[in-house]
Every structure is written in structure tokens, then in C-alpha cells.
Amino acid sequence: MERITALLFLLQATVTVVNTGSHSIWVFATLIYGQTQFPEFSILAFLDDLQVLYYDSNIKKMISRSQPSSTKGVQDIMHLGANIVVEGIYSGMKRPTHVRFFDSHTEGVHVHQRLAGCVLDNDKPSQVMLWDAYDGTEAIHYDTHNRTVSPLWPQLIWTTKQAEIVRMRFIDIYQPICIQILKYYLEKEKNIVLRKERPRVRLIQKTCRETGVVKVSCLATGFYPRHINLTMLRDDRPIPDEELIFGEVLPNGDGTYQTRRTLSISSEKAREKHRYTCSVTHLALDNKLDINWEPGEGADVAVISSVVVVLVLVLVLIFAIAAFIVYKKRRRGI
């Protein structure tokens, strides 16, 4: 079960390497061998980080995630060849070499996953790219110029003839379909994926009273697209990565993102009076955004926030009690 619920990080890793001037469409397919409560075969399709399509072998039809109440979007991409892609992925993942591979796994549940897609960078299309993984281990990476196979599965190596057939299929069929569908969804979802939201940046400091260690966090939130460069500097020099705690880029509830970097400063280091800078660059910013801080400046933001919250709650409670007392007195005619 862990192999199913702990899906690969291939999708996230691939999306993050695409530069901010690019847009991509990725299909993430899962084929399950063994008895589970999940469909045997399922597909998720993403435009950049926006899910636009879903398919599984139980319902046997594509469902639009961008406009669930409309079937027009599905009809449009079917016309562009989305059904050819779905059928090709399924037959490719079920081909005999894979069946023979899984014949050795007679018990339990085993998962075959595939990530495939293409990129459009300033109207310049990329080749179609594909990754395969078995039970959480990457097995194949393929594009029309290169194919690598994990030595764990030598039976997946193609002959020269097989490789040429697949290459021509990708160039003549899958490449045009992928780019057409990408352009279609870019136009359809441009208000979402082409928008730019400026990051809000602040420094948060908190001191441990027992050790004197100061933790300084640089927080950027509310930005879109998700790619952002956030660095911390000491006296205008980048702080080595091993001194920092890197936070993941996480989604906010409004469709934007947040991330942070955290630095621990010892009491001895704090007395040296270095100047620390949080520096951010993002597609929505005309210039980089810098926020400076020196040890000893101000009070702990986290502590202040906590005190304010407590005071607000106390005041609300006092007013609520007072209002209740007044109400009871009026009821009694006092």
C-alpha cells in the first residue's frame, strides 16, 4: 500500500526545472498490478501546475478538471488526439515485456508509473519526454535523442529497429498532439497560468531564551507562478546551503505559493553584528526585492504575533462576558 500512496516525485521534480518563460503539459499515468481499491489504470494531466484532465479504467472516459460542468473541453482535446495518447500510454505500459517482468512478482501489489509530456518555450516546442518507474524506482528515461534504461531491467532494452520505430512514432504522432493540446489549454486557462502574483516577503526572528540562538526565517508567500529564487546573504555574500534549512514550495489556499529559508545564528555570531539580507527574484517583480536585518533589531516577530493574538482573544472574551451580563440584567428588568 505504501508504494501506491507514496507516489513518485517525478512530476514535481520535472515541473520545477522548466524555466519561468515556459509552459508545459504532463501526463502522469499509473498502472497497478494486484488487487486494490484503486482503478487498475489512471491518468492525471497537468498544464504547468494546474490539473486539467482525469481518466481511469473504471469510468473509461476523460473528465475535465478545469471546467467540470462542461463537456466541450473533453470533446476538443479528443478531436486533437487525446484518445490516441491515452490508448498509446495504456498499451505501452501493458506490452508483453512488462508483463513478463511482473510475472516474477507473484504476491502483493506492484506499481508501474509513467510521466510524459512536452514544453513550449517562447513558441519553441520541445521534444516529447518520458520517464518510467517500477515500484518507486526509475527504470527508463526517453526522448527522441536519448534513451537510458536502468540496469535492473535489461529486458527493457530495445533493438535498433524497435528504437527507430518508437522514435518515428514520437516525432510523427505524439509530438504534434502534445503541442496542440498544450496550446489549446494555454488559451483556455490563460487567466490562471499566465497571471503574475507578486510575492510578499518578510523576515521572522525568534530567540531561544535558554541557548540564545536566534532563528531567522525569510518567508515569501502569495506568489505565482511557483518558480522563485529566494536567497539569504551575510554581509552581501550568499550564506552556504549547509547553514540553511530549505522549505519546500507549498501551495496556498488561493492558488498561490509560499516558501521559506531559515538560518540559526548562535549568540556568539549574533554579537559580531553581521548584516543579513533576504533577497527574492520572481517573474512578477521588476527588480529583486531585498530585506535587511541585523541581530538586536526589534523584537521577535513570532513573539509579538503571539501576544497580539492572546490580547485579542482576551478582549473578545471580556466583551462577550460583559454583553451576556447586560443581556441577563435586561431580561430580569434590572
Side-chain angles (χ1 to χ4, degrees), residues 26-302:
W26 296 101
V27 171
F28 187 60
T30 302
L31 181 67
I32 302 174
Y33 292 80
Q35 296 299 316
T36 73
Q37 69 269 40
F38 302 106
E40 178 205 21
F41 178 68
S42 61
I43 280 181
L44 301 173
F46 293 85
L47 170 66
D48 295 345
D49 52 3
L50 176 69
Q51 185 182 347
V52 293
L53 199 69
Y54 175 79
Y55 172 90
D56 72 46
S57 54
N58 288 350
I59 60 176
K60 290 185 170 58
K61 65 178 181 180
M62 284 180 271
I63 296 177
S64 172
R65 292 303 196 201
S66 55
Q67 295 181 359
S69 61
S70 172
T71 59
K72 185 177 184 301
V74 174
Q75 293 171 355
D76 288 340
I77 63 167
M78 290 283 283
H79 178 73
L80 293 174
N83 58 320
I84 296 174
V85 173
V86 172
E87 292 167 4
I89 291 175
Y90 180 69
S91 61
M93 295 175 75
K94 289 279 284 188
R95 64 181 183 264
T97 52
H98 293 156
V99 173
R100 287 198 299 271
F101 169 78
F102 279 107
D103 281 345
S104 60
H105 301 289
T106 56
E107 296 181 356
V109 175
H110 302 279
V111 181
H112 176 192
Q113 293 171 302
R114 173 169 293 180
L115 176 67
C118 57
V119 178
L120 195 62
D121 188 358
N122 296 320
D123 291 329
K124 182 180 179 181
S126 78
Q127 57 196 327
V128 174
M129 294 163 280
L130 178 149
W131 287 262
D132 271 21
Y134 299 92
D135 284 349
T137 302
E138 186 174 337
I140 301 170
H141 168 230
Y142 176 80
D143 58 51
T144 54
H145 299 304
N146 180 49
R147 183 175 190 265
T148 57
V149 177
S150 169
L152 295 174
W153 298 287
Q155 65 268 44
L156 300 180
I157 296 175
W158 292 338
T159 65
T160 302
K161 184 178 180 180
Q162 286 175 319
E164 185 59 25
I165 291 173
V166 173
R167 180 175 178 273
M168 296 309 298
R169 186 183 302 152
F170 269 69
I171 292 174
D172 296 337
I173 300 176
Y174 294 123
Q175 169 81 4
I177 292 175
C178 188
I179 295 299
Q180 287 178 39
I181 292 176
L182 172 53
K183 289 181 177 179
Y184 168 79
Y185 275 120
L186 269 178
E187 176 62 28
K188 185 178 180 182
E189 306 294 346
K190 60 185 177 183
N191 291 336
I192 297 177
V193 298
L194 298 183
R195 77 187 195 278
K196 298 176 183 178
E197 302 285 350
R198 291 171 56 90
R200 302 187 300 274
V201 184
R202 60 175 177 153
L203 279 168
I204 303 173
Q205 63 173 109
K206 186 175 182 180
T207 303
C208 177
R209 295 179 179 177
E210 290 77 15
T211 63
V213 172
V214 180
K215 284 191 175 182
V216 180
S217 293
C218 177
L219 172 66
T221 187
F223 56 88
Y224 190 92
R226 61 171 288 144
H227 182 77
I228 191 170
N229 288 321
L230 191 157
T231 57
M232 296 188 72
L233 303 96
R234 182 187 294 117
D235 298 332
D236 297 326
R237 295 183 179 182
I239 297 173
D241 289 350
E242 55 268 22
E243 295 185 34
L244 298 173
I245 299 174
F246 286 76
E248 298 290 337
V249 178
L250 301 174
N252 292 319
D254 60 358
T256 62
Y257 291 93
Q258 63 169 291
T259 189
R260 69 175 64 206
R261 303 283 184 270
T262 301
L263 174 69
S264 293
I265 305 172
S266 66
S267 56
E268 294 81 6
K269 199 75 173 178
R271 285 194 289 268
E272 296 177 6
K273 296 297 182 181
H274 295 285
R275 180 167 57 88
Y276 295 89
T277 304
C278 175
S279 184
V280 176
T281 57
H282 185 264
L283 192 63
L285 296 172
D286 295 328
N287 300 297
K288 69 174 182 176
L289 178 61
D290 291 342
I291 297 179
N292 297 315
W293 173 83
E294 293 184 11
E297 286 187 354
D300 290 353
V301 174

Side-chain angles (χ1 to χ4, degrees), residues 291-326:
I291 297 179
N292 297 315
W293 173 83
E294 293 184 11
E297 286 187 354
D300 290 353
V301 174
V303 173
I304 291 176
S305 300
S306 300
V307 171
V308 169
V309 170
V310 171
L311 287 175
V312 170
L313 291 175
V314 170
L315 289 173
V316 169
L317 183 61
I318 291 172
F319 281 117
I321 293 173
F324 180 74
I325 293 172
V326 171

